[in-house]
Amino acid sequence: MDLVTAQSEQRKLHKRNILVFVMGGILLCALFLLSLFVGKYPFTIEGLLAGDDRQWLVFRMLRLSRAVVGVVGGFALGIAGYVYQTIFRNELASPDIIGVASGASAGAAFGILFFAGSIAVTVCAFGGAFLAVVFTLLLASMDRSGKNATVILAGIAVHAFAQTILMCLKLIADPEKELASIEYWIMGSLNGIDGDSIGFNILLIAISVVILVILHRRTLILASDEGEVKMLGLDANAMRLVVIFTATIAVASVVSMTGLISFIGLVAPHIAKRLIKNNNVTTMILCGITGSCLLVASDILARSVAATELPVSIFTSIIGVPFLVFIIYKGGKEV
């Protein structure tokens, strides 16, 4: 009887998880479609069907690319957050933990000061994030113990160094032009996304996410005790570096396009794990879907609640800060 009851409960849980997954997909599709029609320039389905050149240009170059970046970027941040929290066995871990955000900020500031054009800023931001990850992993590799805290401490050191560089760049920036641009980039926004310049980032994000999904089982193994990992014959240090590096490449690809988007990587995994009570590849993908929903919804609010467009991180922070307090209150105090 106990076995029959257990099987019945398992089937119910499985059906519930499928329903949650489907509802998340439907919500994301609805937000994606809504995002296409929200903005300062009004256009309609009738105008698009009539072949209005200006409406098609706005749709293709601005709205569609912006909505795609919202979906893909949020998905990458959600999955990266899941990976960090799993590997570090710390529910407060997020993509910023190893210096990618501060590295991207310093790189973007460098691009704004010394180069012209949004593409140059994007490239510099990506380069800064990439270098931050490399330095963090190099510092962590000096410790052969394989402790998770080593990467966190290395990330703190790289973050402090990148922040110092950022402050120096701010000091030499023109207060009326360059400094304002730096501060706006740091606040994060999907405004100004150009459909012609995001192809490489989208491709890099897609490759990184596919690799992370393939390595999902190994990521779960890395969350076990070191002794168990060794018994399974897995090179924990090498695999940990591969997974962390891949996740951070995905994050760097996002922030180099959008600026800093806070709290998505922290909040999305917690929401997904509370909706699905198991921990498998479906949970990882739901983390991505949740991240996409949060980012697209925040972007819709950013361009619709005020006369001028607001930074999207304002709305992700409105969601994230209370959630962070809730996590700490419930016992997520391990750092």
Side-chain angles (χ1 to χ4, degrees), residues 15-302:
K15 291 180 180 178
R16 178 182 177 278
N17 290 344
I18 291 177
L19 178 62
V20 169
F21 197 84
V22 171
M23 293 299 293
I26 293 174
L27 176 60
L28 178 57
C29 291
L31 289 171
F32 177 81
L33 292 174
L34 178 61
S35 177
L36 297 176
F37 293 92
V38 173
K40 300 306 177 185
Y41 181 82
F43 66 88
T44 62
I45 296 178
E46 292 78 6
L48 293 176
L49 294 177
D52 186 296
D53 291 338
R54 179 172 294 182
Q55 291 197 23
W56 269 109
L57 181 63
V58 172
F59 175 79
R60 184 176 62 85
M61 295 299 296
L62 299 179
R63 299 287 175 80
L64 182 60
S65 57
R66 183 168 184 163
V68 168
V69 169
V71 172
V72 175
F75 196 90
L77 293 175
I79 284 187
Y82 170 87
V83 168
Y84 288 129
Q85 291 175 15
T86 301
I87 284 186
F88 296 134
R89 289 173 284 187
N90 187 334
E91 61 180 7
L92 296 181
S94 70
D96 300 338
I97 199 169
I98 58 175
V100 60
S102 52
S105 299
F110 183 85
I112 291 170
L113 286 177
F114 299 108
F115 298 97
S118 59
I119 296 178
V121 175
T122 297
V123 172
C124 290
F126 182 87
F130 184 83
L131 288 175
V133 177
V134 170
F135 287 137
T136 298
L137 296 183
L138 285 175
L139 286 175
S141 67
M142 295 179 183
D143 183 1
R144 302 295 181 181
S145 66
K147 294 180 180 179
N148 293 326
T150 303
V151 178
I152 297 175
L153 292 174
I156 292 172
V158 171
H159 168 78
F161 181 69
Q163 286 296 109
T164 301
I165 294 176
L166 179 60
M167 285 188 288
C168 292
L169 292 173
K170 285 182 177 181
L171 287 175
I172 63 175
D174 183 345
E176 295 184 359
K177 295 180 180 179
E178 296 167 342
L179 184 59
S181 297
I182 292 172
E183 293 294 348
Y184 188 79
W185 191 94
I186 291 174
M187 288 188 290
S189 175
L190 272 64
N191 186 28
I193 295 292
D194 184 358
D196 291 335
S197 62
I198 63 174
F200 178 75
N201 294 66
I202 297 294
L203 178 62
L204 204 56
I205 291 170
I207 293 173
S208 301
V209 167
V210 169
I211 293 173
L212 291 175
V213 171
I214 293 174
L215 296 178
H216 172 263
R217 192 176 298 275
R218 289 180 174 83
T219 302
L220 291 180
I221 293 175
L222 291 174
S224 306
D225 294 331
E226 295 297 325
E228 296 180 12
V229 175
K230 291 179 180 179
M231 288 178 60
L232 293 171
L234 186 67
D235 187 342
N237 290 332
M239 184 53 62
R240 184 178 292 111
L241 291 179
V242 169
V243 173
I244 291 173
F245 188 78
T246 304
T248 308
I249 288 297
V251 175
S253 300
V254 176
V255 300
S256 65
M257 293 187 293
T258 66
L260 300 185
I261 305 295
S262 57
F263 289 107
I264 296 290
L266 172 67
V267 173
H270 285 281
I271 295 176
K273 290 174 184 177
R274 281 165 172 76
L275 293 174
I276 291 186
K277 301 302 181 181
N278 51 20
N279 192 2
N280 53 31
V281 69
T282 304
T283 311
M284 173 185 266
I285 294 174
L286 185 62
C287 289
I289 292 175
T290 305
S292 296
C293 290
L294 290 174
L295 183 52
V296 175
S298 297
D299 182 50
I300 291 172
L301 292 173

